[in-house]
Amino acid sequence: MLEREFANITLIGFMGAGKSSVGKKLACALEWEFIDTDAAIQDVMGISIPEIFERYGEKRFRSEEKYLVKRLSNLQNHVIATGGGLIINPENMELLSKNSLLIWLYASLEKIRERVGDNSPRPLLKRDWEQTEALWLKRQPVYRQADLHIDTTDKDLEEVVNSILAELKQNFGNRIPHAQ
Ligand code: S3P
């Protein structure tokens, strides 16, 4: 049983873990709002994530993420799907964990590769798989700090959402609306 108050649910995890699709479906099940940090940044900047990286570099993207997280920390009843690297900044992690339940969507590296393929538009997957593996390994201890861990490796979308709803119910009972 988790002893933790929270106003939002934030999904963290590596690229290809399914944060956006799971987040949308989870928000629907809870009758909460959904926000995707990559989509929000693309809206603000008016260009795609690959274009942001190409034109302005990763540093600028990370500062957009940081700015957005400050705004997100005032939300309530939102499911927030984060970009895979957002939580790596300890300040972002600290701010989000203040009012969010953090859920780590884990997937094995083999499964990530299967899901995203070799032609992903994601800027950080344009490197070779050895570099991706190094990044995946480096980030595991950070993701592991989440309140709940869901292994998505052998689950489809519906199974992942149901696992989350079951964990919520087990930990928080009826305090989460419609979590059944
Ligand atoms: C990134 C993950 C991407 C996106 C950007 C950087 C990362 O989001 O934010 O390309 O550093 O892991 P997804 O995790 O939704 O692919």
Side-chain angles (χ1 to χ4, degrees), residues 9-24:
I9 290 175
T10 295
L11 302 178
I12 67 172
F14 204 71
M15 295 169 266
K19 300 170 299 269
S20 303
S21 7
V22 169
K24 260 182 227 154

Side-chain angles (χ1 to χ4, degrees), residues 12-19 104-116 129 132-133 136-137 140 143-144 149-155 160:
I12 67 172
F14 204 71
M15 295 169 266
K19 300 170 299 269
W104 175 25
L105 299 187
Y106 167 87
S108 71
L109 193 63
E110 293 70 28
K111 183 56 81 171
I112 302 264
R113 189 168 188 176
E114 193 183 304
R115 287 184 191 158
V116 302
W129 273 95
T132 302
E133 181 173 17
W136 182 89
L137 281 170
Q140 300 303 294
Y143 295 143
R144 197 165 285 129
H149 300 177
I150 304 286
D151 187 348
T152 73
T153 307
D154 296 315
K155 292 189 178 80
V160 174

Side-chain angles (χ1 to χ4, degrees), residues 12-20 36-39 41 49-50 53 58 61-62 65 81-86 88 116 120-125 135 139 143:
I12 67 172
F14 204 71
M15 295 169 266
K19 300 170 299 269
S20 303
D36 182 298
T37 61
D38 283 345
I41 291 170
I49 303 289
F53 271 71
E58 182 174 353
F61 175 70
R62 298 300 174 199
E65 283 189 321
T82 57
L86 181 142
I88 302 308
V116 302
S120 171
R122 292 171 174 91
L124 297 186
L125 290 184
L135 190 63
R139 287 180 175 179
Y143 295 143

Side-chain angles (χ1 to χ4, degrees), residues 21-164:
S21 7
V22 169
K24 260 182 227 154
K25 216 168 158 56
L26 180 64
C28 211
L30 296 172
E31 295 184 358
W32 282 14
E33 297 295 320
F34 171 69
I35 181 163
D36 182 298
T37 61
D38 283 345
I41 291 170
Q42 289 181 136
D43 283 351
V44 165
M45 297 199 64
I47 50 176
S48 68
I49 303 289
E51 281 171 320
I52 298 170
F53 271 71
E54 208 178 294
R55 283 199 215 167
Y56 306 109
E58 182 174 353
K59 204 168 160 203
R60 168 72 189 274
F61 175 70
R62 298 300 174 199
S63 70
E64 291 295 329
E65 283 189 321
K66 200 170 155 191
Y67 180 69
L68 177 64
V69 165
K70 288 203 178 116
R71 293 200 286 129
L72 297 182
S73 56
N74 299 317
L75 295 178
Q76 281 196 335
N77 291 5
H78 276 69
V79 175
I80 303 166
T82 57
L86 181 142
I87 213 73
I88 302 308
N89 178 333
E91 284 176 43
N92 291 346
M93 172 70 109
E94 201 190 320
L95 264 179
L96 280 175
S97 56
K98 269 191 191 145
N99 75 348
S100 279
L101 181 80
L102 295 182
I103 303 183
W104 175 25
L105 299 187
Y106 167 87
S108 71
L109 193 63
E110 293 70 28
K111 183 56 81 171
I112 302 264
R113 189 168 188 176
E114 193 183 304
R115 287 184 191 158
V116 302
D118 285 328
N119 295 311
S120 171
R122 292 171 174 91
L124 297 186
L125 290 184
K126 289 213 183 299
R127 312 155 169 180
D128 60 56
W129 273 95
E130 254 175 47
Q131 282 183 314
T132 302
E133 181 173 17
L135 190 63
W136 182 89
L137 281 170
K138 192 171 148 201
R139 287 180 175 179
Q140 300 303 294
V142 183
Y143 295 143
R144 197 165 285 129
Q145 293 172 43
D147 301 295
L148 292 176
H149 300 177
I150 304 286
D151 187 348
T152 73
T153 307
D154 296 315
K155 292 189 178 80
D156 64 23
L157 176 58
E158 196 156 332
E159 288 168 330
V160 174
V161 175
N162 286 339
S163 304
I164 296 175

